[in-house]
Amino acid sequence: MARSAARAAAMQLVYENLMGGSGEDTLGALIAFTPEGDDQAYIDATVAGIESHAEELDALIARYSTSRELARIARVDLCILRVALYEMKYSHEVAESIAINEAVELDKGYDEPDTVAFVNGVLGGFMRGEKSAAEAEAVTDAE
């Protein structure tokens, strides 16, 4: 199975958890998904990682969201952003640009074009901000 389907399943589980669900039997009950290869390991690691880093991920979303307060972001968009930021900051299994593209494509299935642009803007801002921070740190280390 393509990683994008596993990513969508992970996002749906993160959403269910955010909305107070238990996450039990969700893959079989709510979505047509049969994990293959390392899909289940990816989903489990991603959902657990997001749960353990939720506050930090939300702080990053709040920092890079220039047009919406965290409380005003749709829960689906918040979950998509959490998955992408988790991949970009902690997972490192995919390039940042791919994580952004995957998040944008996933969001297209749920939202209007202006919201898709919002998700792209938050993730692009994070990517640029992290690069700037890394470059500043490299300069400081070189001095």
Side-chain angles (χ1 to χ4, degrees):
M1 170 152 295
R3 179 53 54 97
S4 57
R7 187 175 287 107
M11 184 280 296
Q12 291 172 348
L13 287 171
V14 169
Y15 179 82
E16 182 187 358
N17 291 341
L18 179 67
M19 300 309 289
S22 66
E24 294 179 18
D25 299 322
T26 301
L27 290 178
L30 296 179
I31 52 180
F33 178 79
T34 303
E36 297 176 1
D38 65 346
D39 289 343
Q40 192 63 54
Y42 164 82
I43 292 167
D44 293 343
T46 301
V47 171
I50 290 167
E51 287 177 7
S52 66
H53 296 286
E55 286 183 25
E56 182 181 355
L57 294 170
D58 287 352
L60 290 170
I61 293 167
R63 180 185 317 154
Y64 291 103
S65 172
T66 59
S67 62
R68 299 178 193 174
E69 295 178 19
L70 189 65
R72 306 275 303 165
I73 297 172
R75 302 295 93 175
V76 169
D77 298 326
L78 180 64
C79 293
I80 290 170
L81 288 166
R82 283 179 175 177
V83 170
L85 285 171
Y86 175 78
E87 285 188 319
M88 294 167 74
K89 187 157 178 70
Y90 297 105
S91 175
H92 307 296
E93 288 185 26
V94 298
E96 290 178 334
S97 59
I98 292 172
I100 293 171
N101 185 59
E102 289 286 329
V104 166
E105 290 302 315
L106 183 58
D107 199 53
K108 285 179 182 177
Y110 293 97
D111 273 314
E112 301 295 318
D114 64 325
T115 304
V116 173
F118 167 75
V119 167
N120 187 48
V122 170
L123 297 174
F126 169 77
M127 187 171 74
R128 287 185 301 277
E130 290 297 300
K131 283 185 180 180
S132 295
E135 289 170 358
E137 186 175 309
V139 169
T140 303
D141 289 345
E143 293 174 351

